[in-house]
Amino acid sequence: MDLKIAGKTALITGSTAGIGFAIAKTLAENGARVIVNGRTQASVDQAIAKLSERVPSNLLQGCAADLSSAAGVEKLLGAHSDVDILINNLGIFGIVPFAEISDAEWMRFFEVNVMSGVRLSRHYLPLMLKKNWGRIIFISSESGICPPGDMVHYGMTKTAQLSVSRGLAEVAAGTGVTVNSVLPGPTKTEGAANFFASMAKDQGITIEEMERKFFAEGRPTSLIKRFVSPEEVASMVAYISSPLSAGTTGAALHVDGGVIRSIV
């Protein structure tokens, strides 16, 4: 299918690995010019080198900037002042008992997971409205609807992203700009794989046994009974980034393998 995004410029935050990297690869494979973002120049260079094995290097640009702060966002905007597609993918997570989450940690999660997207959208949305075309997508999570008890601060930020996304869609009402959220379920990123490998080692079981245990006990409502792949999330994001998705805005789109028990 021709997604009709050739020639469009897309910024994907936190795109040196995991879901962000898969999104960058999929968009570039469809002809979009992609801006790869990471905190360090080394991670950005490594990601671009890996992507260049699959897509033309002239479609790839890099920007090393830590978007957890306003200064980092300003650095990125100074280098890339205008884009057609903004994918707010940057995010952190961590399992911490609620009583042990400090004020500083609450604020750190909010700055990284929510304010990075708010600051970028505040800059790019008015420009998209002037052009009467643009796409803003927030990579939220099934945790935004079903907040986990062992990551309350993370769940809070993912719920906040849903609210910001829907609100911005209202701001863009009646225009050619759409704003949506994508809600992945448990996804087999590098970080998740390492995390489960560590848990398996601690419990003296194999990674495969750890995964089966997780879906039996931690996510029993999953209909696919496995992790979602980053590429499966990227496929949804690519469609929502395209002109083909013009009738979809203000939506929270699930790529969760059926974890969320809902008919809407």
Side-chain angles (χ1 to χ4, degrees), residues 232-255:
E232 288 168 331
V233 180
S235 293
M236 174 68 82
V237 174
Y239 169 70
I240 296 302
S241 298
S242 79
L244 303 181
S245 67
T248 302
T249 190
L253 303 162
H254 297 200
V255 191

Side-chain angles (χ1 to χ4, degrees), residues 14-46:
S15 49
T16 58
I19 290 174
F21 182 88
I23 293 170
K25 178 171 70 70
T26 302
L27 294 184
E29 286 174 341
N30 282 275
R33 294 187 294 267
V34 168
I35 301 166
V36 176
N37 162 251
R39 287 180 297 172
T40 68
Q41 190 64 53
S43 66
V44 171
D45 290 344
Q46 184 178 20

Side-chain angles (χ1 to χ4, degrees), residues 84-86 128 133-137 176-178 240-243 245-246:
D84 302 299
I85 301 164
L86 169 63
M128 292 178 181
W133 199 92
R135 297 287 184 266
I136 296 178
I137 301 168
V177 179
T178 66
I240 296 302
S241 298
S242 79
S245 67

Side-chain angles (χ1 to χ4, degrees), residues 12-26 87 89 139-141 154 182-191 228-235 237 255:
I12 305 100
T13 66
S15 49
T16 58
I19 290 174
F21 182 88
I23 293 170
K25 178 171 70 70
T26 302
I87 315 292
N89 170 72
I139 306 303
S140 180
S141 167
Y154 172 76
V182 172
L183 284 67
T187 306
K188 201 164 191 176
T189 62
E190 294 93 330
V228 174
S229 74
E231 290 75 20
E232 288 168 331
V233 180
S235 293
V237 174
V255 191

